[in-house]
Amino acid sequence: MREYSPDLTPAWKRPRPVPEVPADPNLVVEEAGTGFCGAVVGCEAGTVTLEDRFGKRRVFPMEPRGFLLEGAVVTLVRPSRAPAAPARTASGSIAVPGARARVARAGRIYVEGRHDAELVERVWGDDLRIEGVVVEYLEGIDDLPAIVAEFAPGPDARLGVLVDHLVPGSKESRIAAVVTSPDVLVAGHPYVDVWQAVKPSALSIPAWPVVPRGQDWKTGICRALGWPENTGAAWQHILSRVHTYQDLEPALLGRVEELIDFVTAP
């Protein structure tokens, strides 16, 4: 049987216990042996990664009494749990838990049709409510100059307009060119209809079919894809497959973000 051997080291010679500090992200410490000082950017497998103010990184073992925190010796330990990633809205913005909708601004965003409005709400709805931006839809843009005049935009009531098929030489581009107010931004995507702004991969189709001229575009899409020729039901199916901004084409994403920034600018 092994005999018990008491520790006869004088108390004043024994190392004093030091605090254990979780190696949380951005904690700034100094490695005792090398003097390397940096913020915690990683912690795994018994090691901690520090990054100094020049961007240089080094990995150190988390040994007892191995670090200095504000000049005091500490032992770094693994955090109890990794920090959760911030929740995000469908548009990719950081969500604000418990945020209330802002009182509606005088500024507005107009979109060409109900489907456009529903898609914008689907992806940017949370952002728009926090910013106090109301989206209204138009039945086409043939009367856009008169609609803008009636709205009477100004520095405190900016108007953004999202237009389908805004490409050089199109009817839409000619109408948009008539609107010259500095408090109005007309932005558009290149697609015949906002349906096409949904990525084919979101719908598990290889590509959007090409519809011959002279055919109703939405009906032609339904026929080409073998869907019932009910465009309302087809749109509800398409919309149901949109969950985040990643399901939309960049050409639409950029324009909507641009319009939101325009109408919310100070």
Side-chain angles (χ1 to χ4, degrees), residues 2-36:
R2 186 175 179 180
E3 294 185 2
Y4 169 70
S5 299
D7 185 357
L8 300 179
T9 305
W12 61 272
K13 284 189 175 182
R14 297 175 190 172
R16 294 180 181 179
V18 299
E20 291 187 346
V21 178
D24 292 324
N26 300 318
L27 177 73
V28 177
V29 294
E30 178 184 341
E31 201 277 326
T34 63
F36 185 90

Short mmCIF file of all heavy atoms in Angstrom, two decimals, residues 2-36:
data_model
loop_
_atom_site.label_atom_id
_atom_site.label_comp_id
_atom_site.label_asym_id
_atom_site.label_seq_id
_atom_site.Cartn_x
_atom_site.Cartn_y
_atom_site.Cartn_z
N ARG A 2 0.56 2.15 -0.86
CA ARG A 2 1.39 3.35 -1.00
C ARG A 2 1.16 4.27 0.19
O ARG A 2 0.03 4.52 0.59
CB ARG A 2 1.03 4.08 -2.29
CG ARG A 2 1.93 5.27 -2.59
CD ARG A 2 1.57 5.86 -3.93
NE ARG A 2 2.40 7.00 -4.23
CZ ARG A 2 2.31 7.73 -5.34
NH1 ARG A 2 1.40 7.37 -6.25
NH2 ARG A 2 3.10 8.75 -5.54
N GLU A 3 2.27 4.75 0.76
CA GLU A 3 2.16 5.62 1.91
C GLU A 3 1.82 7.05 1.47
O GLU A 3 2.24 7.52 0.42
CB GLU A 3 3.47 5.62 2.70
CG GLU A 3 3.81 4.29 3.33
CD GLU A 3 5.04 4.37 4.19
OE1 GLU A 3 5.60 5.50 4.31
OE2 GLU A 3 5.46 3.35 4.74
N TYR A 4 1.05 7.72 2.31
CA TYR A 4 0.69 9.11 2.06
C TYR A 4 1.88 10.00 2.38
O TYR A 4 2.48 9.88 3.46
CB TYR A 4 -0.51 9.51 2.91
CG TYR A 4 -0.77 11.01 2.91
CD1 TYR A 4 -1.24 11.66 1.76
CD2 TYR A 4 -0.54 11.76 4.07
CE1 TYR A 4 -1.48 13.01 1.77
CE2 TYR A 4 -0.77 13.11 4.07
CZ TYR A 4 -1.25 13.75 2.92
OH TYR A 4 -1.47 15.09 2.92
N SER A 5 2.26 10.83 1.49
CA SER A 5 3.37 11.77 1.70
C SER A 5 2.82 13.18 1.72
O SER A 5 2.39 13.70 0.67
CB SER A 5 4.42 11.62 0.60
OG SER A 5 4.96 10.32 0.59
N PRO A 6 2.78 13.80 2.85
CA PRO A 6 2.24 15.16 2.91
C PRO A 6 3.14 16.14 2.17
O PRO A 6 4.36 15.94 2.05
CB PRO A 6 2.22 15.44 4.42
CG PRO A 6 3.28 14.57 4.99
CD PRO A 6 3.27 13.31 4.15
N ASP A 7 2.51 17.21 1.66
CA ASP A 7 3.25 18.28 0.98
C ASP A 7 3.86 19.18 2.04
O ASP A 7 3.16 19.88 2.77
CB ASP A 7 2.29 19.08 0.08
CG ASP A 7 3.04 20.11 -0.75
OD1 ASP A 7 4.27 20.22 -0.59
OD2 ASP A 7 2.38 20.79 -1.57
N LEU A 8 5.18 19.08 2.14
CA LEU A 8 5.89 19.86 3.17
C LEU A 8 6.39 21.20 2.65
O LEU A 8 7.12 21.91 3.36
CB LEU A 8 7.06 19.04 3.70
CG LEU A 8 6.67 17.69 4.34
CD1 LEU A 8 7.93 16.96 4.81
CD2 LEU A 8 5.72 17.90 5.52
N THR A 9 5.97 21.57 1.40
CA THR A 9 6.40 22.86 0.86
C THR A 9 5.77 23.97 1.68
O THR A 9 4.56 23.95 1.94
CB THR A 9 5.94 23.01 -0.61
OG1 THR A 9 6.42 21.89 -1.35
CG2 THR A 9 6.46 24.29 -1.20
N PRO A 10 6.57 24.92 2.12
CA PRO A 10 6.01 26.03 2.89
C PRO A 10 4.90 26.73 2.10
O PRO A 10 4.97 26.85 0.87
CB PRO A 10 7.21 26.95 3.12
CG PRO A 10 8.40 26.08 2.96
CD PRO A 10 8.02 25.03 1.95
N ALA A 11 3.89 27.19 2.82
CA ALA A 11 2.75 27.83 2.16
C ALA A 11 3.18 29.01 1.31
O ALA A 11 2.62 29.25 0.23
CB ALA A 11 1.73 28.27 3.22
N TRP A 12 4.19 29.75 1.78
CA TRP A 12 4.61 30.94 1.02
C TRP A 12 5.29 30.59 -0.29
O TRP A 12 5.45 31.45 -1.15
CB TRP A 12 5.51 31.83 1.89
CG TRP A 12 6.78 31.16 2.36
CD1 TRP A 12 6.96 30.43 3.48
CD2 TRP A 12 8.05 31.20 1.71
NE1 TRP A 12 8.24 29.97 3.59
CE2 TRP A 12 8.95 30.45 2.52
CE3 TRP A 12 8.55 31.79 0.55
CZ2 TRP A 12 10.29 30.26 2.18
CZ3 TRP A 12 9.88 31.64 0.21
CH2 TRP A 12 10.75 30.86 1.02
N LYS A 13 5.71 29.30 -0.42
CA LYS A 13 6.34 28.87 -1.67
C LYS A 13 5.37 28.21 -2.65
O LYS A 13 5.70 27.97 -3.81
CB LYS A 13 7.49 27.90 -1.38
CG LYS A 13 8.75 28.55 -0.85
CD LYS A 13 9.89 27.55 -0.80
CE LYS A 13 11.19 28.21 -0.38
NZ LYS A 13 12.31 27.24 -0.39
N ARG A 14 4.19 27.87 -2.15
CA ARG A 14 3.23 27.21 -3.02
C ARG A 14 2.60 28.23 -3.98
O ARG A 14 2.32 29.36 -3.58
CB ARG A 14 2.12 26.56 -2.19
CG ARG A 14 2.62 25.45 -1.27
CD ARG A 14 1.50 24.95 -0.39
NE ARG A 14 2.00 24.05 0.65
CZ ARG A 14 1.26 23.61 1.65
NH1 ARG A 14 -0.03 23.98 1.74
NH2 ARG A 14 1.80 22.81 2.55
N PRO A 15 2.39 27.81 -5.22
CA PRO A 15 1.75 28.75 -6.16
C PRO A 15 0.33 29.05 -5.72
O PRO A 15 -0.43 28.15 -5.34
CB PRO A 15 1.78 27.99 -7.50
CG PRO A 15 1.91 26.55 -7.12
CD PRO A 15 2.69 26.51 -5.84
N ARG A 16 -0.02 30.31 -5.73
CA ARG A 16 -1.36 30.70 -5.35
C ARG A 16 -2.35 30.36 -6.46
O ARG A 16 -2.01 30.44 -7.64
CB ARG A 16 -1.41 32.20 -5.06
CG ARG A 16 -0.59 32.62 -3.84
CD ARG A 16 -0.68 34.12 -3.62
NE ARG A 16 0.11 34.53 -2.47
CZ ARG A 16 0.22 35.80 -2.07
NH1 ARG A 16 -0.41 36.74 -2.76
NH2 ARG A 16 0.96 36.09 -1.02
N PRO A 17 -3.56 29.97 -6.09
CA PRO A 17 -4.55 29.72 -7.13
C PRO A 17 -4.87 31.01 -7.88
O PRO A 17 -4.82 32.10 -7.31
CB PRO A 17 -5.77 29.22 -6.34
CG PRO A 17 -5.58 29.75 -4.96
CD PRO A 17 -4.10 29.76 -4.73
N VAL A 18 -5.14 30.86 -9.15
CA VAL A 18 -5.45 32.04 -9.98
C VAL A 18 -6.83 31.86 -10.58
O VAL A 18 -7.33 30.73 -10.71
CB VAL A 18 -4.40 32.22 -11.10
CG1 VAL A 18 -3.02 32.44 -10.50
CG2 VAL A 18 -4.39 31.03 -12.06
N PRO A 19 -7.46 32.95 -10.96
CA PRO A 19 -8.81 32.84 -11.54
C PRO A 19 -8.81 32.07 -12.85
O PRO A 19 -7.85 32.13 -13.63
CB PRO A 19 -9.21 34.31 -11.76
CG PRO A 19 -8.27 35.11 -10.92
CD PRO A 19 -7.01 34.33 -10.85
N GLU A 20 -9.90 31.34 -13.07
CA GLU A 20 -10.13 30.72 -14.36
C GLU A 20 -11.06 31.64 -15.16
O GLU A 20 -12.14 32.02 -14.68
CB GLU A 20 -10.76 29.34 -14.19
CG GLU A 20 -9.83 28.32 -13.57
CD GLU A 20 -10.41 26.92 -13.57
OE1 GLU A 20 -11.64 26.78 -13.80
OE2 GLU A 20 -9.65 25.96 -13.34
N VAL A 21 -10.63 31.98 -16.36
CA VAL A 21 -11.37 32.94 -17.18
C VAL A 21 -11.77 32.27 -18.49
O VAL A 21 -10.90 31.71 -19.19
CB VAL A 21 -10.50 34.19 -17.48
CG1 VAL A 21 -11.25 35.17 -18.39
CG2 VAL A 21 -10.09 34.87 -16.18
N PRO A 22 -13.05 32.28 -18.85
CA PRO A 22 -13.46 31.70 -20.14
C PRO A 22 -12.83 32.46 -21.30
O PRO A 22 -12.76 33.69 -21.30
CB PRO A 22 -14.98 31.88 -20.14
CG PRO A 22 -15.36 32.07 -18.70
CD PRO A 22 -14.20 32.76 -18.07
N ALA A 23 -12.35 31.72 -22.27
CA ALA A 23 -11.71 32.32 -23.45
C ALA A 23 -12.79 32.76 -24.44
O ALA A 23 -12.95 32.20 -25.53
CB ALA A 23 -10.75 31.32 -24.09
N ASP A 24 -13.55 33.77 -24.03
CA ASP A 24 -14.62 34.27 -24.88
C ASP A 24 -14.06 35.07 -26.05
O ASP A 24 -12.98 35.68 -25.95
CB ASP A 24 -15.57 35.17 -24.08
CG ASP A 24 -16.34 34.39 -23.03
OD1 ASP A 24 -16.71 33.24 -23.31
OD2 ASP A 24 -16.58 34.94 -21.93
N PRO A 25 -14.76 35.09 -27.18
CA PRO A 25 -14.31 35.86 -28.33
C PRO A 25 -14.05 37.32 -27.96
O PRO A 25 -14.81 37.92 -27.19
CB PRO A 25 -15.46 35.73 -29.33
CG PRO A 25 -16.13 34.45 -28.96
CD PRO A 25 -16.01 34.35 -27.47
N ASN A 26 -12.95 37.87 -28.49
CA ASN A 26 -12.55 39.27 -28.32
C ASN A 26 -11.94 39.58 -26.95
O ASN A 26 -11.56 40.73 -26.70
CB ASN A 26 -13.71 40.23 -28.60
CG ASN A 26 -14.24 40.09 -30.01
OD1 ASN A 26 -13.47 39.96 -30.95
ND2 ASN A 26 -15.55 40.10 -30.16
N LEU A 27 -11.83 38.58 -26.07
CA LEU A 27 -11.12 38.80 -24.82
C LEU A 27 -9.65 39.06 -25.13
O LEU A 27 -9.01 38.29 -25.85
CB LEU A 27 -11.26 37.58 -23.91
CG LEU A 27 -10.50 37.64 -22.58
CD1 LEU A 27 -11.21 38.60 -21.62
CD2 LEU A 27 -10.40 36.23 -21.96
N VAL A 28 -9.07 40.14 -24.58
CA VAL A 28 -7.68 40.49 -24.86
C VAL A 28 -6.81 40.02 -23.70
O VAL A 28 -7.03 40.41 -22.55
CB VAL A 28 -7.52 42.01 -25.06
CG1 VAL A 28 -6.04 42.36 -25.28
CG2 VAL A 28 -8.36 42.47 -26.25
N VAL A 29 -5.84 39.17 -24.01
CA VAL A 29 -4.93 38.63 -23.00
C VAL A 29 -3.51 38.62 -23.55
O VAL A 29 -3.28 38.80 -24.76
CB VAL A 29 -5.31 37.19 -22.59
CG1 VAL A 29 -6.66 37.18 -21.87
CG2 VAL A 29 -5.33 36.26 -23.79
N GLU A 30 -2.56 38.39 -22.65
CA GLU A 30 -1.14 38.27 -23.01
C GLU A 30 -0.66 36.89 -22.64
O GLU A 30 -0.92 36.41 -21.53
CB GLU A 30 -0.32 39.33 -22.29
CG GLU A 30 1.18 39.26 -22.56
CD GLU A 30 1.96 40.27 -21.75
OE1 GLU A 30 1.33 41.25 -21.27
OE2 GLU A 30 3.18 40.08 -21.59
N GLU A 31 0.00 36.22 -23.57
CA GLU A 31 0.57 34.91 -23.27
C GLU A 31 1.81 35.11 -22.41
O GLU A 31 2.72 35.86 -22.79
CB GLU A 31 0.92 34.18 -24.57
CG GLU A 31 1.02 32.67 -24.42
CD GLU A 31 2.37 32.23 -23.89
OE1 GLU A 31 3.36 32.89 -24.23
OE2 GLU A 31 2.43 31.23 -23.16
N ALA A 32 1.83 34.45 -21.24
CA ALA A 32 2.85 34.75 -20.24
C ALA A 32 4.26 34.45 -20.72
O ALA A 32 5.21 35.18 -20.41
CB ALA A 32 2.56 33.98 -18.95
N GLY A 33 4.43 33.39 -21.48
CA GLY A 33 5.78 32.99 -21.86
C GLY A 33 6.40 33.83 -22.94
O GLY A 33 7.61 34.10 -22.93
N THR A 34 5.63 34.28 -23.90
CA THR A 34 6.17 35.00 -25.06
C THR A 34 5.87 36.49 -25.05
O THR A 34 6.50 37.26 -25.77
CB THR A 34 5.59 34.42 -26.36
OG1 THR A 34 4.16 34.63 -26.37
CG2 THR A 34 5.89 32.94 -26.48
N GLY A 35 4.87 36.89 -24.25
CA GLY A 35 4.48 38.29 -24.24
C GLY A 35 3.58 38.67 -25.40
O GLY A 35 3.24 39.85 -25.56
N PHE A 36 3.17 37.67 -26.19
CA PHE A 36 2.28 37.96 -27.32
C PHE A 36 0.92 38.38 -26.79
O PHE A 36 0.31 37.67 -25.97
CB PHE A 36 2.13 36.73 -28.22
CG PHE A 36 1.33 36.96 -29.47
CD1 PHE A 36 1.95 37.38 -30.63
CD2 PHE A 36 -0.05 36.77 -29.47
CE1 PHE A 36 1.21 37.59 -31.79
CE2 PHE A 36 -0.80 36.98 -30.62
CZ PHE A 36 -0.16 37.39 -31.79
#
